[in-house]
Every structure is written in C-alpha cells, then in structure tokens.
Amino acid sequence: MEKLLFWLCWIAYFSTYIGRLNYSASLTGIILSEGFSKGQAGMIGTAFFFAYGAGQFVSGFLGDRLAPKKMVFTGLMVSGLCNLAMAGAKSSGLMTAVWCVNGLFQAFIWSPMIRLMYEYYKTETRMKACVSLNSSVPIGTMAAYGLTALVIWLSGWRTMFVLAGAALIGTSLFWITGMKRVERYAAESGKMEEMPSGETGGSAKAAVNWKSLLIQSGFLFLMMALFVQGALKDGVTTWVPTYISETYGLSAILAITSTMVIPVFNLLGVYLASFANLHWFRNEVRTAGAFFVVSAAAILVLRLSSGRSMAVSFLMLALATTAMMAVNTMLIAVLPSYFGVIGRASSVSGLLNSSVYAGGAVSTYGIGALSVALGWNATIVIWFLMAAVSAVICFLTVRKWIAYRKEVLQIWKE
C-alpha cells in the first residue's frame, strides 16, 4: 500500500513539471517565433508563479479539510486542459491568462500529498518517503527540458503543450483509479495510521494560533529565505537557456538541451540534503542555511567565470540550483510533515510553498528585466547577495525552530 501511494504521488507530481516547465523550456523558442519581448514572455511565467503561490496558500488550508484525493485529481485534470488551451493561444495576453489558471490548479497537488504521507505512512518511513518524493522535481525538470527540446526540433513548441496536456489528463485518471486501490487496501489491512486529532475538525486544529506559529517557530523568517530559494531555483532555471544563448551564442535548441545537465545535478541535491541533515547538521533549518552558503559560493564563481568558460558557468549554475533543491527538500518536503501531529501538515506546506513560488514569480519577470537593464553580470551579483542573506536568516532561525519543535510539537529529535 505504501509503495503504491508513493508511486502515485511521484508520477502525479512528476507530470506537473512536464506541464509547467514546458513553458520555461520553450521560452527562447517562443520569443524567437512569436516575436514577444523578454518582458512579455517573462510576464507569462510570472503569472504562473504568482497564481501558483497564491494557490498554494489557499490549497494548503483546503488540504487539511477537503479530500486530498479529489484535490489532486482536479489539479491534474485542469492543468491538462490549460496545456491544451496554451497550444492554441496566439496572443501573449491570452497565454498569460491560461498559464495563470494552470498555476492556480497545479497548486492543488503538493500540499494534499503531504497530508496523505502523514496519514498513510508510519513515522519511521515517512521522512524517507517525503525526501524521495522530492526527487520527482529534478527528474521532472530534466524530462520537461529534454522532451521540449526534442519536440521543438521535430515539430515546434505548440506540439509540446498538446503532449503535456494529454499526459496530465491521463495521469489524473491514473491517480483517481490508483487512490481507490490504496483506500481499499488500507481498509482491508487496517494499516492506515489513526488520523491525528484535528483531521476531522478536532481541538488540535482549533487550538492552532497562526500568529504564534509564524513568530515562535521562526517561519516568518524562513518564508523570507524561501522567497529567495524560489527565485534561485525556479527563476534562474527559467532563464538559464536564455543566459547561455546570449552569453555564449548557442542556438535556442542547443541552449535548452545543454541545460538538461542542471537537473541531473539537482537530483543529487535531494539526497545530499538528507545525508547532510542526518550525519552532519541534524536540524532541517541549519542544513538549509549550509546549502544557501554553498549556493552563494557557486554564484560568486559563476560571476567570475561568466563569459569566459561555458563549462564552468554550467557547473556553477548546476551547483547553485542543486543547493536550492537541497533547501527545498528540507523546508518544503520534510519540515511540514512534523505538523501532522496537530492536523496542519497540508496548511503549513502550502504556507511555506507559497513563499517559494512568490519568489519564483518575481524573479521570472525580474531576472529578464534586470538582464536587459543591468546586464547578466550585475544580475548574477544580485543572486549572490540574495543567497548570502538567506543563509544568515536560516542560521539565526535555528534556535527558534528547535524550541518550537520541542515545546509545541513535542518532537525532541536533534
């Protein structure tokens, strides 16, 4: 049962990246073929991330109240329809509207999955499952960029949206069918853990004071760091093909294809984070801070090598975004699962994730605008400063998180 649930969640979330990053991967080709400016093209991606961030905030709270199975199904189905609509859109305004709806409904997927992980998994296996589920992000990224490059080469960027739409609709049907089997196995075997107080509207939920949670746990500060993490993970990934194309003169297809090396490295970030947290730092927030330091160092080297060595630039971009994937694993995949004990795994996940995608939204447009106004070198310096400040925020928040985890969540692991 646990394996079936894991693979259902993994495949579902993997598919969302095919229907999300296909736009980012097509960005250079869309600019060239449709004649959009960088600002117009960037605004379409920004609309997605703003809608996704707002949707995460809403869906996180809904995910603790509504059936997660139905929320994920709805998100996958509507995202598939949006991708099909994107294939026929002609104007940047219409594409912005469609991609905004796509972002809103894709937000219905991750947070309810975190709740499912808490409900169906035993405590000793839940952490490993959450970490492994996050591997769908770099693998989905790699698949999205690889497939998009191939499809653009064979048929054009619009075909990629048709294929993504069909894949998402098919996955939604696979999800709903598979979840019925999971529920049946759980009922027959009696292996499903007893729901924590609050999942059905109990006192634990009512007792949660969000102002207290945000301040006492340090989450208010972590949300600032996660804003930067989203900017460096999603915003930078969006513009990497364009940066490589403009800096080193590669064609659009070659730039997209060469960018596939980055998510290969990013996959390591998922497991590096788990290893570092288990053996070295023993605290999710401290581990996140350490990886912000790694990202800042990689971005500094990127600035020094920019325009001089494409190989070094690729390596540093890969290292910087891999470190951000490690941060994502700790603060988005692992941290929210602790709050299942008070019936808030989904809402906390949505709250933190909304900060990530707010950062992605601002940077998707902002990086394009900065590169035009200031050039890529100045833009890279800004990335460095953002990563360095976020590292400081994480290290200053460690003690708050340890105290909150012990006093409120009654978790003494350190």
Side-chain angles (χ1 to χ4, degrees):
M1 179 192 69
E2 289 184 353
K3 286 185 178 180
L4 176 58
L5 175 62
F6 172 80
W7 285 111
L8 282 171
C9 291
W10 196 97
I11 291 169
Y13 204 64
F14 168 86
S15 71
T16 66
Y17 271 73
I18 303 297
R20 173 192 309 183
L21 292 185
N22 53 345
Y23 176 77
S24 299
S26 302
L27 190 60
T28 304
I30 291 173
I31 290 173
L32 293 174
S33 65
E34 302 302 312
F36 295 162
S37 67
K38 279 186 183 179
Q40 288 175 312
M43 186 57 70
I44 297 169
T46 293
F48 175 93
F49 286 119
F50 266 126
Y52 191 89
Q56 282 287 344
F57 185 81
V58 175
S59 72
F61 288 92
L62 291 177
D64 283 326
R65 292 166 173 79
L66 305 180
K69 174 183 72 175
K70 294 179 180 178
M71 288 187 67
V72 174
F73 170 78
T74 302
L76 291 168
M77 178 61 74
V78 176
S79 179
L81 295 174
C82 286
N83 270 269
L84 293 178
M86 197 75 163
K90 302 290 184 181
S91 68
S92 62
L94 180 57
M95 291 172 75
T96 300
V98 170
W99 219 230
C100 183
V101 175
N102 186 35
L104 183 63
F105 279 89
Q106 281 213 0
F108 278 38
I109 297 169
W110 178 261
S111 295
M113 283 183 181
I114 295 297
R115 174 183 165 184
L116 286 170
M117 287 286 174
Y118 181 80
E119 289 181 359
Y120 283 89
Y121 274 81
K122 297 176 182 177
T123 303
E124 58 268 23
T125 58
R126 187 183 304 131
M127 195 73 67
K128 183 179 179 181
C130 288
V131 169
S132 296
L133 179 59
N134 211 40
S135 69
S136 62
V137 176
I139 295 176
T141 301
M142 184 167 48
Y145 276 88
L147 284 171
T148 301
L150 178 62
V151 172
I152 288 178
W153 179 60
L154 293 174
S155 181
W157 65 268
R158 292 185 186 275
T159 304
M160 182 60 205
F161 286 91
V162 174
L163 294 175
L168 281 160
I169 291 172
T171 302
S172 71
L173 301 176
F174 173 72
W175 166 267
I176 203 70
T177 302
M179 279 304 300
K180 289 179 180 178
R181 293 183 64 185
V182 169
E183 291 172 342
R184 185 168 66 251
Y185 291 159
E188 291 173 355
S189 64
K191 289 184 178 180
M192 182 175 173
E193 286 192 351
E194 183 181 349
M195 277 185 163
S197 176
E199 289 299 326
T200 56
S203 60
K205 233 180 225 187
V208 173
N209 183 316
W210 282 101
K211 181 179 179 181
S212 173
L213 186 152
L214 289 173
I215 296 173
Q216 290 182 19
S217 67
F219 274 20
L220 193 61
F221 303 103
L222 287 182
M223 288 171 70
M224 299 176 191
L226 283 169
F227 180 92
V228 173
Q229 188 263 339
L232 295 178
K233 182 174 74 74
D234 294 305
V236 172
T237 300
T238 297
W239 287 102
V240 163
T242 304
Y243 163 74
I244 293 298
S245 180
E246 293 181 354
T247 304
Y248 295 102
L250 265 66
S251 68
I253 292 176
L254 281 176
I256 295 170
T257 305
S258 59
T259 303
M260 284 180 61
V261 71
I262 292 177
V264 174
F265 278 87
N266 289 173
L267 181 59
L268 295 174
V270 175
Y271 298 102
L272 280 173
S274 180
F275 180 87
N277 187 54
L278 181 64
H279 296 284
W280 298 338
F281 303 111
R282 300 184 181 277
N283 180 283
E284 296 79 13
V285 178
R286 189 184 294 126
T287 302
F291 279 101
F292 268 119
V293 171
V294 172
S295 185
I299 292 169
L300 182 59
V301 176
L302 171 66
R303 169 62 186 87
L304 297 174
S305 64
S306 183
R308 295 181 175 85
S309 171
M310 186 167 65
V312 174
S313 292
F314 264 123
L315 183 60
M316 291 304 105
L317 283 165
L319 184 57
T321 54
T322 296
M324 290 303 94
M325 181 56 62
V327 173
N328 186 272
T329 300
M330 288 293 99
L331 301 186
I332 298 300
V334 174
L335 210 65
S337 66
Y338 288 126
F339 288 83
V341 297
I342 57 172
R344 292 294 183 177
S346 178
S347 49
V348 168
S349 174
L351 186 68
L352 295 178
N353 232 347
S354 65
S355 301
V356 174
Y357 286 95
V362 171
S363 66
T364 299
Y365 176 79
I367 288 173
L370 283 172
S371 69
V372 171
L374 304 177
W376 282 111
N377 286 339
T379 301
I380 292 169
V381 170
I382 293 172
W383 294 349
F384 166 76
L385 294 174
M386 291 165 63
V389 169
S390 296
V392 173
I393 289 173
C394 285
F395 289 132
L396 291 177
T397 308
V398 169
R399 289 192 177 186
K400 273 184 171 290
W401 168 238
I402 292 173
Y404 186 84
R405 196 172 61 182
K406 290 178 179 178
E407 294 171 11
V408 179
L409 303 181
Q410 298 297 305
I411 297 171
W412 296 82
K413 169 181 170 275
E414 180 62 31

PDB file of all heavy atoms in Angstrom, residues 197-232:
ATOM      1  N   SER A 197      -5.600  14.046  15.973  1.00  0.00           N
ATOM      2  CA  SER A 197      -6.677  14.937  16.401  1.00  0.00           C
ATOM      3  C   SER A 197      -6.647  16.211  15.590  1.00  0.00           C
ATOM      4  O   SER A 197      -5.619  16.852  15.444  1.00  0.00           O
ATOM      5  CB  SER A 197      -6.500  15.284  17.885  1.00  0.00           C
ATOM      6  OG  SER A 197      -7.471  16.206  18.294  1.00  0.00           O
ATOM      7  N   GLY A 198      -7.778  16.572  15.027  1.00  0.00           N
ATOM      8  CA  GLY A 198      -7.833  17.779  14.207  1.00  0.00           C
ATOM      9  C   GLY A 198      -8.097  17.477  12.763  1.00  0.00           C
ATOM     10  O   GLY A 198      -8.580  18.325  12.047  1.00  0.00           O
ATOM     11  N   GLU A 199      -7.811  16.255  12.259  1.00  0.00           N
ATOM     12  CA  GLU A 199      -8.063  15.948  10.861  1.00  0.00           C
ATOM     13  C   GLU A 199      -9.554  15.958  10.566  1.00  0.00           C
ATOM     14  O   GLU A 199      -9.970  16.099   9.440  1.00  0.00           O
ATOM     15  CB  GLU A 199      -7.467  14.576  10.503  1.00  0.00           C
ATOM     16  CG  GLU A 199      -5.965  14.549  10.444  1.00  0.00           C
ATOM     17  CD  GLU A 199      -5.406  15.472   9.397  1.00  0.00           C
ATOM     18  OE1 GLU A 199      -6.015  15.665   8.349  1.00  0.00           O
ATOM     19  OE2 GLU A 199      -4.334  16.045   9.643  1.00  0.00           O
ATOM     20  N   THR A 200     -10.353  15.764  11.575  1.00  0.00           N
ATOM     21  CA  THR A 200     -11.792  15.794  11.368  1.00  0.00           C
ATOM     22  C   THR A 200     -12.419  16.956  12.129  1.00  0.00           C
ATOM     23  O   THR A 200     -13.556  16.939  12.520  1.00  0.00           O
ATOM     24  CB  THR A 200     -12.427  14.457  11.823  1.00  0.00           C
ATOM     25  OG1 THR A 200     -12.069  14.224  13.185  1.00  0.00           O
ATOM     26  CG2 THR A 200     -11.952  13.315  10.977  1.00  0.00           C
ATOM     27  N   GLY A 201     -11.614  17.967  12.335  1.00  0.00           N
ATOM     28  CA  GLY A 201     -12.122  19.180  12.978  1.00  0.00           C
ATOM     29  C   GLY A 201     -11.997  19.183  14.483  1.00  0.00           C
ATOM     30  O   GLY A 201     -12.746  19.856  15.176  1.00  0.00           O
ATOM     31  N   GLY A 202     -11.044  18.422  15.012  1.00  0.00           N
ATOM     32  CA  GLY A 202     -10.870  18.292  16.454  1.00  0.00           C
ATOM     33  C   GLY A 202     -10.236  19.508  17.080  1.00  0.00           C
ATOM     34  O   GLY A 202      -9.932  20.496  16.443  1.00  0.00           O
ATOM     35  N   SER A 203      -9.960  19.393  18.371  1.00  0.00           N
ATOM     36  CA  SER A 203      -9.485  20.532  19.141  1.00  0.00           C
ATOM     37  C   SER A 203      -8.093  20.963  18.769  1.00  0.00           C
ATOM     38  O   SER A 203      -7.742  22.123  18.913  1.00  0.00           O
ATOM     39  CB  SER A 203      -9.532  20.180  20.626  1.00  0.00           C
ATOM     40  OG  SER A 203      -8.708  19.059  20.893  1.00  0.00           O
ATOM     41  N   ALA A 204      -7.253  20.040  18.268  1.00  0.00           N
ATOM     42  CA  ALA A 204      -5.881  20.417  17.928  1.00  0.00           C
ATOM     43  C   ALA A 204      -5.859  21.462  16.841  1.00  0.00           C
ATOM     44  O   ALA A 204      -5.066  22.379  16.846  1.00  0.00           O
ATOM     45  CB  ALA A 204      -5.094  19.176  17.486  1.00  0.00           C
ATOM     46  N   LYS A 205      -6.784  21.316  15.890  1.00  0.00           N
ATOM     47  CA  LYS A 205      -6.840  22.282  14.811  1.00  0.00           C
ATOM     48  C   LYS A 205      -7.291  23.646  15.330  1.00  0.00           C
ATOM     49  O   LYS A 205      -6.737  24.671  14.986  1.00  0.00           O
ATOM     50  CB  LYS A 205      -7.820  21.790  13.753  1.00  0.00           C
ATOM     51  CG  LYS A 205      -7.224  21.738  12.369  1.00  0.00           C
ATOM     52  CD  LYS A 205      -8.257  21.259  11.414  1.00  0.00           C
ATOM     53  CE  LYS A 205      -7.658  20.232  10.501  1.00  0.00           C
ATOM     54  NZ  LYS A 205      -8.529  19.822   9.433  1.00  0.00           N
ATOM     55  N   ALA A 206      -8.309  23.622  16.154  1.00  0.00           N
ATOM     56  CA  ALA A 206      -8.853  24.874  16.647  1.00  0.00           C
ATOM     57  C   ALA A 206      -7.847  25.614  17.521  1.00  0.00           C
ATOM     58  O   ALA A 206      -7.858  26.823  17.622  1.00  0.00           O
ATOM     59  CB  ALA A 206     -10.130  24.600  17.434  1.00  0.00           C
ATOM     60  N   ALA A 207      -6.953  24.856  18.153  1.00  0.00           N
ATOM     61  CA  ALA A 207      -6.012  25.449  19.089  1.00  0.00           C
ATOM     62  C   ALA A 207      -4.832  26.132  18.421  1.00  0.00           C
ATOM     63  O   ALA A 207      -4.078  26.823  19.069  1.00  0.00           O
ATOM     64  CB  ALA A 207      -5.504  24.379  20.046  1.00  0.00           C
ATOM     65  N   VAL A 208      -4.662  25.915  17.104  1.00  0.00           N
ATOM     66  CA  VAL A 208      -3.516  26.489  16.411  1.00  0.00           C
ATOM     67  C   VAL A 208      -3.669  27.999  16.284  1.00  0.00           C
ATOM     68  O   VAL A 208      -4.661  28.492  15.753  1.00  0.00           O
ATOM     69  CB  VAL A 208      -3.348  25.863  15.001  1.00  0.00           C
ATOM     70  CG1 VAL A 208      -2.254  26.592  14.230  1.00  0.00           C
ATOM     71  CG2 VAL A 208      -3.008  24.384  15.124  1.00  0.00           C
ATOM     72  N   ASN A 209      -2.704  28.718  16.792  1.00  0.00           N
ATOM     73  CA  ASN A 209      -2.666  30.164  16.668  1.00  0.00           C
ATOM     74  C   ASN A 209      -1.627  30.496  15.598  1.00  0.00           C
ATOM     75  O   ASN A 209      -0.430  30.335  15.824  1.00  0.00           O
ATOM     76  CB  ASN A 209      -2.284  30.791  18.013  1.00  0.00           C
ATOM     77  CG  ASN A 209      -2.293  32.310  17.981  1.00  0.00           C
ATOM     78  OD1 ASN A 209      -1.795  32.931  17.043  1.00  0.00           O
ATOM     79  ND2 ASN A 209      -2.854  32.907  19.017  1.00  0.00           N
ATOM     80  N   TRP A 210      -2.084  30.963  14.433  1.00  0.00           N
ATOM     81  CA  TRP A 210      -1.174  31.145  13.312  1.00  0.00           C
ATOM     82  C   TRP A 210      -0.160  32.246  13.554  1.00  0.00           C
ATOM     83  O   TRP A 210       0.983  32.151  13.105  1.00  0.00           O
ATOM     84  CB  TRP A 210      -1.961  31.404  12.022  1.00  0.00           C
ATOM     85  CG  TRP A 210      -2.515  30.128  11.478  1.00  0.00           C
ATOM     86  CD1 TRP A 210      -3.790  29.664  11.579  1.00  0.00           C
ATOM     87  CD2 TRP A 210      -1.777  29.112  10.786  1.00  0.00           C
ATOM     88  NE1 TRP A 210      -3.901  28.435  10.987  1.00  0.00           N
ATOM     89  CE2 TRP A 210      -2.684  28.072  10.485  1.00  0.00           C
ATOM     90  CE3 TRP A 210      -0.454  28.987  10.384  1.00  0.00           C
ATOM     91  CZ2 TRP A 210      -2.298  26.916   9.807  1.00  0.00           C
ATOM     92  CZ3 TRP A 210      -0.066  27.846   9.709  1.00  0.00           C
ATOM     93  CH2 TRP A 210      -0.978  26.827   9.428  1.00  0.00           C
ATOM     94  N   LYS A 211      -0.564  33.281  14.250  1.00  0.00           N
ATOM     95  CA  LYS A 211       0.387  34.356  14.568  1.00  0.00           C
ATOM     96  C   LYS A 211       1.513  33.806  15.436  1.00  0.00           C
ATOM     97  O   LYS A 211       2.702  34.074  15.205  1.00  0.00           O
ATOM     98  CB  LYS A 211      -0.332  35.498  15.273  1.00  0.00           C
ATOM     99  CG  LYS A 211       0.578  36.675  15.623  1.00  0.00           C
ATOM    100  CD  LYS A 211      -0.212  37.784  16.312  1.00  0.00           C
ATOM    101  CE  LYS A 211       0.705  38.945  16.690  1.00  0.00           C
ATOM    102  NZ  LYS A 211      -0.040  40.027  17.396  1.00  0.00           N
ATOM    103  N   SER A 212       1.124  33.011  16.431  1.00  0.00           N
ATOM    104  CA  SER A 212       2.108  32.402  17.313  1.00  0.00           C
ATOM    105  C   SER A 212       2.996  31.425  16.550  1.00  0.00           C
ATOM    106  O   SER A 212       4.217  31.395  16.744  1.00  0.00           O
ATOM    107  CB  SER A 212       1.398  31.676  18.467  1.00  0.00           C
ATOM    108  OG  SER A 212       2.320  30.956  19.241  1.00  0.00           O
ATOM    109  N   LEU A 213       2.387  30.633  15.679  1.00  0.00           N
ATOM    110  CA  LEU A 213       3.159  29.654  14.905  1.00  0.00           C
ATOM    111  C   LEU A 213       4.219  30.345  14.049  1.00  0.00           C
ATOM    112  O   LEU A 213       5.389  29.946  14.032  1.00  0.00           O
ATOM    113  CB  LEU A 213       2.219  28.837  14.020  1.00  0.00           C
ATOM    114  CG  LEU A 213       2.825  27.658  13.242  1.00  0.00           C
ATOM    115  CD1 LEU A 213       1.764  26.584  13.002  1.00  0.00           C
ATOM    116  CD2 LEU A 213       3.397  28.097  11.891  1.00  0.00           C
ATOM    117  N   LEU A 214       3.813  31.396  13.351  1.00  0.00           N
ATOM    118  CA  LEU A 214       4.733  32.087  12.444  1.00  0.00           C
ATOM    119  C   LEU A 214       5.901  32.730  13.191  1.00  0.00           C
ATOM    120  O   LEU A 214       7.042  32.697  12.730  1.00  0.00           O
ATOM    121  CB  LEU A 214       3.980  33.146  11.647  1.00  0.00           C
ATOM    122  CG  LEU A 214       3.021  32.643  10.573  1.00  0.00           C
ATOM    123  CD1 LEU A 214       2.215  33.786   9.983  1.00  0.00           C
ATOM    124  CD2 LEU A 214       3.792  31.928   9.464  1.00  0.00           C
ATOM    125  N   ILE A 215       5.617  33.312  14.354  1.00  0.00           N
ATOM    126  CA  ILE A 215       6.658  34.031  15.091  1.00  0.00           C
ATOM    127  C   ILE A 215       7.498  33.085  15.942  1.00  0.00           C
ATOM    128  O   ILE A 215       8.733  33.095  15.876  1.00  0.00           O
ATOM    129  CB  ILE A 215       6.028  35.129  15.972  1.00  0.00           C
ATOM    130  CG1 ILE A 215       5.350  36.184  15.081  1.00  0.00           C
ATOM    131  CG2 ILE A 215       7.093  35.783  16.855  1.00  0.00           C
ATOM    132  CD1 ILE A 215       4.560  37.225  15.836  1.00  0.00           C
ATOM    133  N   GLN A 216       6.839  32.236  16.742  1.00  0.00           N
ATOM    134  CA  GLN A 216       7.576  31.374  17.669  1.00  0.00           C
ATOM    135  C   GLN A 216       8.410  30.314  16.956  1.00  0.00           C
ATOM    136  O   GLN A 216       9.499  29.968  17.395  1.00  0.00           O
ATOM    137  CB  GLN A 216       6.601  30.690  18.632  1.00  0.00           C
ATOM    138  CG  GLN A 216       5.969  31.633  19.636  1.00  0.00           C
ATOM    139  CD  GLN A 216       5.056  30.895  20.607  1.00  0.00           C
ATOM    140  OE1 GLN A 216       5.147  29.685  20.769  1.00  0.00           O
ATOM    141  NE2 GLN A 216       4.164  31.637  21.242  1.00  0.00           N
ATOM    142  N   SER A 217       7.903  29.767  15.840  1.00  0.00           N
ATOM    143  CA  SER A 217       8.640  28.728  15.128  1.00  0.00           C
ATOM    144  C   SER A 217       9.749  29.299  14.243  1.00  0.00           C
ATOM    145  O   SER A 217      10.624  28.568  13.789  1.00  0.00           O
ATOM    146  CB  SER A 217       7.682  27.916  14.252  1.00  0.00           C
ATOM    147  OG  SER A 217       7.160  28.725  13.206  1.00  0.00           O
ATOM    148  N   GLY A 218       9.682  30.613  13.992  1.00  0.00           N
ATOM    149  CA  GLY A 218      10.653  31.232  13.092  1.00  0.00           C
ATOM    150  C   GLY A 218      10.241  31.161  11.639  1.00  0.00           C
ATOM    151  O   GLY A 218      10.992  31.572  10.747  1.00  0.00           O
ATOM    152  N   PHE A 219       9.028  30.671  11.374  1.00  0.00           N
ATOM    153  CA  PHE A 219       8.585  30.507   9.985  1.00  0.00           C
ATOM    154  C   PHE A 219       8.470  31.831   9.240  1.00  0.00           C
ATOM    155  O   PHE A 219       8.626  31.872   8.026  1.00  0.00           O
ATOM    156  CB  PHE A 219       7.236  29.774   9.953  1.00  0.00           C
ATOM    157  CG  PHE A 219       7.383  28.275   9.980  1.00  0.00           C
ATOM    158  CD1 PHE A 219       8.552  27.681  10.439  1.00  0.00           C
ATOM    159  CD2 PHE A 219       6.363  27.462   9.542  1.00  0.00           C
ATOM    160  CE1 PHE A 219       8.696  26.312  10.468  1.00  0.00           C
ATOM    161  CE2 PHE A 219       6.491  26.077   9.550  1.00  0.00           C
ATOM    162  CZ  PHE A 219       7.662  25.505  10.030  1.00  0.00           C
ATOM    163  N   LEU A 220       8.166  32.900   9.971  1.00  0.00           N
ATOM    164  CA  LEU A 220       8.059  34.208   9.313  1.00  0.00           C
ATOM    165  C   LEU A 220       9.382  34.570   8.646  1.00  0.00           C
ATOM    166  O   LEU A 220       9.409  35.128   7.544  1.00  0.00           O
ATOM    167  CB  LEU A 220       7.674  35.270  10.339  1.00  0.00           C
ATOM    168  CG  LEU A 220       7.214  36.622   9.790  1.00  0.00           C
ATOM    169  CD1 LEU A 220       5.973  36.452   8.929  1.00  0.00           C
ATOM    170  CD2 LEU A 220       6.943  37.587  10.931  1.00  0.00           C
ATOM    171  N   PHE A 221      10.490  34.219   9.298  1.00  0.00           N
ATOM    172  CA  PHE A 221      11.811  34.486   8.733  1.00  0.00           C
ATOM    173  C   PHE A 221      12.165  33.457   7.653  1.00  0.00           C
ATOM    174  O   PHE A 221      12.760  33.795   6.636  1.00  0.00           O
ATOM    175  CB  PHE A 221      12.857  34.477   9.850  1.00  0.00           C
ATOM    176  CG  PHE A 221      12.563  35.454  10.946  1.00  0.00           C
ATOM    177  CD1 PHE A 221      12.045  35.024  12.165  1.00  0.00           C
ATOM    178  CD2 PHE A 221      12.767  36.810  10.757  1.00  0.00           C
ATOM    179  CE1 PHE A 221      11.753  35.919  13.172  1.00  0.00           C
ATOM    180  CE2 PHE A 221      12.479  37.717  11.767  1.00  0.00           C
ATOM    181  CZ  PHE A 221      11.968  37.271  12.974  1.00  0.00           C
ATOM    182  N   LEU A 222      11.767  32.216   7.889  1.00  0.00           N
ATOM    183  CA  LEU A 222      12.026  31.177   6.888  1.00  0.00           C
ATOM    184  C   LEU A 222      11.295  31.463   5.592  1.00  0.00           C
ATOM    185  O   LEU A 222      11.782  31.128   4.511  1.00  0.00           O
ATOM    186  CB  LEU A 222      11.608  29.805   7.412  1.00  0.00           C
ATOM    187  CG  LEU A 222      12.487  29.177   8.490  1.00  0.00           C
ATOM    188  CD1 LEU A 222      11.966  27.798   8.860  1.00  0.00           C
ATOM    189  CD2 LEU A 222      13.942  29.097   8.034  1.00  0.00           C
ATOM    190  N   MET A 223      10.135  32.087   5.676  1.00  0.00           N
ATOM    191  CA  MET A 223       9.394  32.439   4.458  1.00  0.00           C
ATOM    192  C   MET A 223      10.173  33.436   3.612  1.00  0.00           C
ATOM    193  O   MET A 223      10.109  33.407   2.379  1.00  0.00           O
ATOM    194  CB  MET A 223       8.014  32.990   4.830  1.00  0.00           C
ATOM    195  CG  MET A 223       7.065  31.909   5.354  1.00  0.00           C
ATOM    196  SD  MET A 223       5.528  32.558   6.045  1.00  0.00           S
ATOM    197  CE  MET A 223       4.702  33.132   4.561  1.00  0.00           C
ATOM    198  N   MET A 224      10.939  34.320   4.263  1.00  0.00           N
ATOM    199  CA  MET A 224      11.802  35.245   3.520  1.00  0.00           C
ATOM    200  C   MET A 224      12.904  34.477   2.787  1.00  0.00           C
ATOM    201  O   MET A 224      13.188  34.730   1.614  1.00  0.00           O
ATOM    202  CB  MET A 224      12.428  36.259   4.477  1.00  0.00           C
ATOM    203  CG  MET A 224      11.443  37.126   5.222  1.00  0.00           C
ATOM    204  SD  MET A 224      12.301  38.219   6.419  1.00  0.00           S
ATOM    205  CE  MET A 224      10.904  38.839   7.361  1.00  0.00           C
ATOM    206  N   ALA A 225      13.513  33.519   3.496  1.00  0.00           N
ATOM    207  CA  ALA A 225      14.560  32.712   2.876  1.00  0.00           C
ATOM    208  C   ALA A 225      13.998  31.861   1.745  1.00  0.00           C
ATOM    209  O   ALA A 225      14.642  31.684   0.710  1.00  0.00           O
ATOM    210  CB  ALA A 225      15.224  31.825   3.923  1.00  0.00           C
ATOM    211  N   LEU A 226      12.787  31.348   1.929  1.00  0.00           N
ATOM    212  CA  LEU A 226      12.169  30.520   0.890  1.00  0.00           C
ATOM    213  C   LEU A 226      11.770  31.343  -0.325  1.00  0.00           C
ATOM    214  O   LEU A 226      11.741  30.834  -1.442  1.00  0.00           O
ATOM    215  CB  LEU A 226      10.954  29.786   1.462  1.00  0.00           C
ATOM    216  CG  LEU A 226      11.297  28.575   2.326  1.00  0.00           C
ATOM    217  CD1 LEU A 226      10.068  28.078   3.076  1.00  0.00           C
ATOM    218  CD2 LEU A 226      11.878  27.450   1.471  1.00  0.00           C
ATOM    219  N   PHE A 227      11.469  32.613  -0.115  1.00  0.00           N
ATOM    220  CA  PHE A 227      11.220  33.520  -1.239  1.00  0.00           C
ATOM    221  C   PHE A 227      12.454  33.561  -2.143  1.00  0.00           C
ATOM    222  O   PHE A 227      12.357  33.460  -3.369  1.00  0.00           O
ATOM    223  CB  PHE A 227      10.890  34.915  -0.712  1.00  0.00           C
ATOM    224  CG  PHE A 227      10.619  35.937  -1.787  1.00  0.00           C
ATOM    225  CD1 PHE A 227       9.337  36.161  -2.244  1.00  0.00           C
ATOM    226  CD2 PHE A 227      11.658  36.668  -2.345  1.00  0.00           C
ATOM    227  CE1 PHE A 227       9.085  37.104  -3.230  1.00  0.00           C
ATOM    228  CE2 PHE A 227      11.429  37.617  -3.325  1.00  0.00           C
ATOM    229  CZ  PHE A 227      10.134  37.838  -3.777  1.00  0.00           C
ATOM    230  N   VAL A 228      13.623  33.676  -1.522  1.00  0.00           N
ATOM    231  CA  VAL A 228      14.880  33.692  -2.272  1.00  0.00           C
ATOM    232  C   VAL A 228      15.144  32.331  -2.907  1.00  0.00           C
ATOM    233  O   VAL A 228      15.578  32.236  -4.053  1.00  0.00           O
ATOM    234  CB  VAL A 228      16.051  34.092  -1.356  1.00  0.00           C
ATOM    235  CG1 VAL A 228      17.382  33.935  -2.074  1.00  0.00           C
ATOM    236  CG2 VAL A 228      15.868  35.520  -0.874  1.00  0.00           C
ATOM    237  N   GLN A 229      14.858  31.263  -2.148  1.00  0.00           N
ATOM    238  CA  GLN A 229      15.050  29.912  -2.691  1.00  0.00           C
ATOM    239  C   GLN A 229      14.224  29.715  -3.962  1.00  0.00           C
ATOM    240  O   GLN A 229      14.698  29.139  -4.946  1.00  0.00           O
ATOM    241  CB  GLN A 229      14.661  28.868  -1.637  1.00  0.00           C
ATOM    242  CG  GLN A 229      14.993  27.438  -2.020  1.00  0.00           C
ATOM    243  CD  GLN A 229      13.802  26.715  -2.599  1.00  0.00           C
ATOM    244  OE1 GLN A 229      12.657  27.091  -2.388  1.00  0.00           O
ATOM    245  NE2 GLN A 229      14.057  25.674  -3.356  1.00  0.00           N
ATOM    246  N   GLY A 230      12.994  30.199  -3.965  1.00  0.00           N
ATOM    247  CA  GLY A 230      12.157  30.104  -5.156  1.00  0.00           C
ATOM    248  C   GLY A 230      12.717  30.907  -6.315  1.00  0.00           C
ATOM    249  O   GLY A 230      12.695  30.467  -7.467  1.00  0.00           O
ATOM    250  N   ALA A 231      13.257  32.093  -5.987  1.00  0.00           N
ATOM    251  CA  ALA A 231      13.852  32.930  -7.035  1.00  0.00           C
ATOM    252  C   ALA A 231      15.058  32.247  -7.667  1.00  0.00           C
ATOM    253  O   ALA A 231      15.249  32.276  -8.883  1.00  0.00           O
ATOM    254  CB  ALA A 231      14.253  34.281  -6.449  1.00  0.00           C
ATOM    255  N   LEU A 232      15.878  31.616  -6.823  1.00  0.00           N
ATOM    256  CA  LEU A 232      17.105  30.992  -7.326  1.00  0.00           C
ATOM    257  C   LEU A 232      16.838  29.625  -7.965  1.00  0.00           C
ATOM    258  O   LEU A 232      17.560  29.230  -8.876  1.00  0.00           O
ATOM    259  CB  LEU A 232      18.120  30.846  -6.194  1.00  0.00           C
ATOM    260  CG  LEU A 232      18.634  32.157  -5.606  1.00  0.00           C
ATOM    261  CD1 LEU A 232      19.592  31.884  -4.450  1.00  0.00           C
ATOM    262  CD2 LEU A 232      19.337  33.002  -6.665  1.00  0.00           C
TER     263      LEU A 232
END
